[in-house]
Amino acid sequence: MDDMIRLIEPLIPSLRRYAWSLVRDASEADDLVQDCLERAVDRWGQRRKASDARSWLFSILHNLAISRWRRVQRRGRHLAIDGVAEAALSEPASQLDGMQHADLLRALAELSPDYRAVILLVGVEDLTYAQAAEVLGVPIGTVMSRLSRARERLAQLIAVDAAHPAQRPHLRRIK
């Protein structure tokens, strides 16, 4: 039990970050991580001993996220208006950093789920190609090619946003 806690506990912040990047909602990301940890604790004995605990946990999280996406596509998203925070109903100020961050998030959202997953696992969560391949259940070569194409597509999308500022909200100075 101590071995399991020692291996899992340091990974929780990374799991939360990856979950948030997949679902873009803090409470849903927390639920996803909780489900992941519950499943990991429940099935700890079924884990392949040679398998890296980090890759194994990210695989569980990734598969749970895919299951949720499929469920949402079938049933639609449920959102109780009483449960929505006021901050979710408003927009943050649109200074340059916020706009660049929004451009990056928008470009990431336009990537296909396969490209987005590989760029987040390798670029944000710092998994090796082998670990990312294990999480996604694809060969290492597929991870490398998807990552290359994802980076290229992301650069194109960000360049398009920079080239067409008319699509961004206009800032007005009011005295």
Side-chain angles (χ1 to χ4, degrees):
M1 184 67 144
D2 291 334
D3 182 45
M4 177 176 56
I5 293 170
R6 183 181 54 79
L7 289 172
I8 291 177
E9 191 172 3
L11 299 175
I12 293 174
S14 295
L15 290 169
R16 289 188 74 215
R17 203 171 33 248
Y18 183 57
W20 183 87
S21 66
L22 291 174
V23 297
R24 302 261 193 270
D25 178 70
S27 64
E28 192 173 337
D30 288 341
D31 290 345
L32 196 58
V33 171
Q34 183 176 348
D35 291 347
C36 171
L37 294 175
E38 181 181 327
R39 187 167 288 186
V41 168
D42 187 44
R43 297 180 179 157
W44 186 256
Q46 297 173 4
R47 176 177 74 89
R48 288 176 281 175
K49 300 302 179 197
S51 173
D52 178 23
R54 180 181 171 108
S55 299
W56 185 64
L57 285 169
F58 274 95
S59 295
I60 292 171
L61 184 70
H62 183 79
N63 291 334
L64 285 170
I66 288 174
S67 296
R68 283 184 187 225
W69 287 332
R70 289 179 181 155
R71 191 175 325 119
V72 165
Q73 286 179 346
R74 280 193 317 266
R75 298 182 184 168
R77 184 175 296 270
H78 174 72
L79 182 63
I81 193 72
D82 296 336
V84 177
E86 281 188 44
L89 300 173
S90 64
E91 280 189 21
S94 57
Q95 286 82 8
L96 183 60
D97 286 345
M99 291 174 68
Q100 289 173 340
H101 185 256
D103 289 344
L104 176 62
L105 291 178
R106 191 172 21 260
L108 274 172
E110 288 186 36
L111 290 176
S112 71
D114 291 337
Y115 286 177
R116 185 173 41 244
V118 76
I119 208 162
L120 291 171
L121 287 172
V122 174
V124 176
E125 297 305 330
D126 204 29
L127 266 66
T128 64
Y129 292 165
Q131 290 171 329
E134 187 176 332
V135 167
L136 299 172
V138 297
I140 293 176
T142 303
V143 167
M144 293 188 309
S145 65
R146 282 183 187 172
L147 183 61
S148 173
R149 291 183 186 122
R151 286 176 174 160
E152 183 179 313
R153 180 70 180 135
L154 193 60
Q156 290 172 353
L157 290 170
I158 290 172
V160 165
D161 281 347
H164 300 294
Q167 295 175 351
R168 292 185 184 164
H170 294 289
L171 299 177
R172 294 185 339 187
R173 184 174 180 180
I174 301 173
K175 291 185 179 186

